[in-house]
């Protein structure tokens, strides 16, 4: 989880913690209110996402895809207009 949080921040995104114990309506509101385009989550939370239309990366089942990505420390992609800089 710590690696995922740092990756989100380094990419200029914002980390929005979402507790799977929250009611689905609350999670849907949080996703909509944050204008979420990408979710990092786990497969067992798929049913909680409702009608989320953005991209979801499932850290447990997409592990093979993620392992093919370079392991280099990439240069930061964020800039002054991004959420977290």
């Amino acid at each position: 989880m710590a690696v995922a949080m740092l990756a989100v921040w380094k990419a200029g995104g914002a980390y929005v913690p979402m507790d799977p114990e929250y009611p689905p309506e609350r999670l849907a509101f949080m996703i909509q209110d944050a204008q979420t385009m990408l979710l990092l989550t786990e497969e067992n939370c798929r049913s909680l996402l409702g009608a989320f239309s953005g991209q979801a990366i499932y850290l447990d089942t997409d592990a093979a895809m993620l392992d093919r990505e370079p392991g280099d420390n990439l240069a930061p992609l964020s800039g002054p207009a991004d959420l977290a800089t």
Side-chain angles (χ1 to χ4, degrees):
M1 184 168 144
V3 172
M5 287 173 50
L6 289 173
V8 167
W9 289 334
K10 191 168 184 176
Y15 172 74
V16 179
M18 298 175 57
D19 188 337
E21 297 296 317
Y22 288 164
E25 297 82 15
R26 172 72 178 148
L27 294 173
F29 172 79
M30 292 172 69
I31 290 171
Q32 180 182 7
D33 189 54
Q35 299 176 1
T36 306
M37 297 183 298
L38 173 72
L39 283 173
L40 298 178
T41 187
E42 294 180 344
E43 186 68 36
N44 63 346
C45 295
R46 182 185 293 260
S47 64
L48 301 174
L49 302 179
F52 175 65
S53 60
Q55 181 181 2
I57 297 176
Y58 300 96
L59 298 173
D60 51 348
T61 58
D62 291 340
M65 174 197 66
L66 296 172
D67 286 341
R68 288 190 299 269
E69 294 297 320
D72 305 0
N73 187 18
L74 302 174
L77 301 174
S78 62
D82 292 314
L83 295 172
T85 55

